[in-house]
Amino acid sequence: MRGSIRTVHGAGCRFVSDNGTEVDVDFTADGSEVFDLWRLRWYGLSLPEPLDAADQDLRSAVRSLHPLLIEVRPGWFSVAN
């Protein structure tokens, strides 16, 4: 993200763009980026036109992107390699 602020935390990193959009991921032991529905919701709420979706809708949307996104453990998703 151009001009973004990066904050390393615990097992991951949070990026905040100039317009306030936030992307937060955790890293697995092999270095893969993973996210959960809470992080996805936070991203939606940080958009210039905030979007707040219910967990069920977020879960359905993420699962509909299979095989591009995979559930690596219950409730945690990653881009398929």
Side-chain angles (χ1 to χ4, degrees), residues 30 32-33 67-70 78-81:
D30 70 0
S32 299
E33 300 89 3
L68 298 174
L69 294 178
I70 57 171
S78 184
V79 175
N81 293 327

Side-chain angles (χ1 to χ4, degrees), residues 31-64:
S32 299
E33 300 89 3
V34 295
F35 65 92
D36 60 1
L37 298 181
W38 180 86
R39 286 168 175 75
L40 189 55
R41 171 173 285 113
W42 197 253
Y43 165 76
L45 292 171
S46 74
L47 293 171
E49 292 186 33
L51 175 64
D52 188 11
D55 277 355
Q56 181 177 341
D57 295 332
L58 292 171
R59 188 173 289 108
S60 293
V62 170
R63 288 186 175 150
S64 75

